Amino acid sequence: MGVLDRRVALVTGAASGIGRATAQSFAREGAHVWLVDRNADGLAQVRAELDGDHHVHQLDVTDEAGWIALANSLDRLDVLVNNAGFGVFRSIADTTLEHWRSIMAVNLDSVFLATKYLLPLLARSTHGGAIVNMSSIRGIAGAANTASYCASKGGVRMFTKATALECAALGNNVRANSIHPGHVATPLTAGAHVSEEDRRALLADTPIGRKAMPEEIADAILFLASDASRYMTGAELVVDGGSTAQ
Ligand code: NAI
């Protein structure tokens, strides 16, 4: 028996990093997984790694019409993981309005769009729907040269709490929680856009002294998606090797 047996779960950003590890863990735990990403090749690769019956769906998560079409093609949904996102180190002076808006669109608009169009399906879940939104420790604590990322992830944190309260008020049995990783070993943090200096600073700031593996974040997402967290809603789960405990 898996903890997500007979559940349908949708994971955005499933072609890489934390989303990929989450799709793998959900599939192992018995869920039927919808893998969503804009990267079709990456999706196909992850799909090939999974046993069982799962769907891949290419979507730019900022595309409202795309979300409406996806919602219309789903019969049911029990778990939604809004994970797709990105960030780059950039000073406020070097941030253009276009860059600011692109970060907000991918990291925050997407969470609103997915929630707006998929909540009716989650509300019909016989298990009680679960939403897990990907924030970051940068949604709790600021850092230099990350203002737009921090603003977007802080927005995800508060949007999640408001979603949780609205669902409770509606009595629709949907829980919403945010997750706040620290430094995770994924293509996002391994990219050439992260300088050696930034990389060293991130690690120096992590008491456990190493990056998290994507699977370690996926384990926490699985907890928030499953009945093990059934009394949690509007909560923020920090998985950061002690960074924000300092
Ligand atoms: P990643 O770069 O390995 O994976 C991100 C995935 O999102 C990629 O497959 C990419 O194609 C997809 N994606 C990006 N923009 C998209 C769009 N517009 N439409 C559809 N798909 C899109 O990154 P990683 O590290 O796995 O990050 C996942 C989430 O975790 C992000 O929201 C990130 O901000 C968050 N996070 C990551 C941390 C880290 O240290 N890696 C720390 C804290 C939070």
Side-chain angles (χ1 to χ4, degrees):
M1 283 282 284
V3 299
L4 296 182
D5 269 352
R6 294 183 300 280
R7 304 200 189 187
V8 178
L10 187 151
V11 180
T12 70
S16 175
I18 297 167
R20 170 176 172 243
T22 301
Q24 289 170 334
S25 135
F26 280 15
R28 267 196 310 275
E29 292 296 334
H32 172 89
V33 187
W34 280 73
L35 302 112
V36 174
D37 205 291
R38 66 176 171 197
N39 174 357
D41 291 345
L43 280 176
Q45 224 170 313
V46 177
R47 172 69 190 88
E49 296 164 1
L50 304 182
D51 289 331
D53 176 30
H54 306 284
H55 272 87
V56 296
H57 186 87
Q58 189 180 13
L59 173 73
D60 183 325
V61 291
T62 67
D63 174 11
E64 182 172 20
W67 275 114
I68 293 170
L70 176 53
N72 287 336
S73 67
L74 287 169
D75 294 332
R76 50 176 285 238
L77 188 65
D78 304 294
V79 177
L80 166 64
V81 181
N82 286 308
N83 162 75
F86 81 106
V88 291
F89 288 94
R90 196 170 288 183
S91 70
I92 294 169
D94 288 340
T95 300
T96 61
L97 182 57
E98 188 188 6
H99 175 74
W100 166 273
R101 284 185 174 147
S102 71
I103 292 246
M104 291 301 161
V106 177
N107 291 0
L108 185 56
D109 294 4
S110 66
V111 180
F112 158 68
L113 291 171
T115 306
K116 177 175 171 66
Y117 293 111
L118 298 180
L119 194 52
L121 283 161
L122 290 162
R124 292 203 296 273
S125 164
T126 51
H127 303 278
I131 301 174
V132 184
N133 290 331
M134 178 55 73
S135 181
S136 162
I137 55 169
R138 295 293 154 243
I140 297 173
N145 298 321
T146 55
S148 45
Y149 186 73
C150 288
S152 70
K153 294 299 188 182
V156 170
R157 173 172 172 259
M158 287 314 300
F159 181 81
T160 307
K161 293 183 191 301
T163 303
L165 295 177
E166 194 164 319
C167 288
L170 289 168
N172 66 11
N173 211 17
V174 176
R175 301 180 297 110
N177 295 290
S178 56
I179 183 145
H180 301 260
H183 192 34
V184 190
T186 70
L188 180 69
T189 51
H193 59 276
V194 184
S195 71
E196 211 31 61
E197 192 189 341
D198 285 330
R199 229 186 296 274
R200 267 199 301 273
L202 283 167
L203 270 189
D205 201 35
T206 307
I208 272 186
R210 64 170 179 84
K211 298 179 197 180
M213 296 309 291
E215 291 73 19
E216 292 172 309
I217 309 304
D219 284 348
I221 294 174
L222 177 65
F223 167 68
L224 290 177
S226 76
D227 291 344
S229 62
R230 63 195 168 277
Y231 197 62
M232 287 175 72
T233 195
E236 46 197 77
L237 185 55
V238 174
V239 191
D240 69 349
S243 291
T244 52
Q246 300 172 100

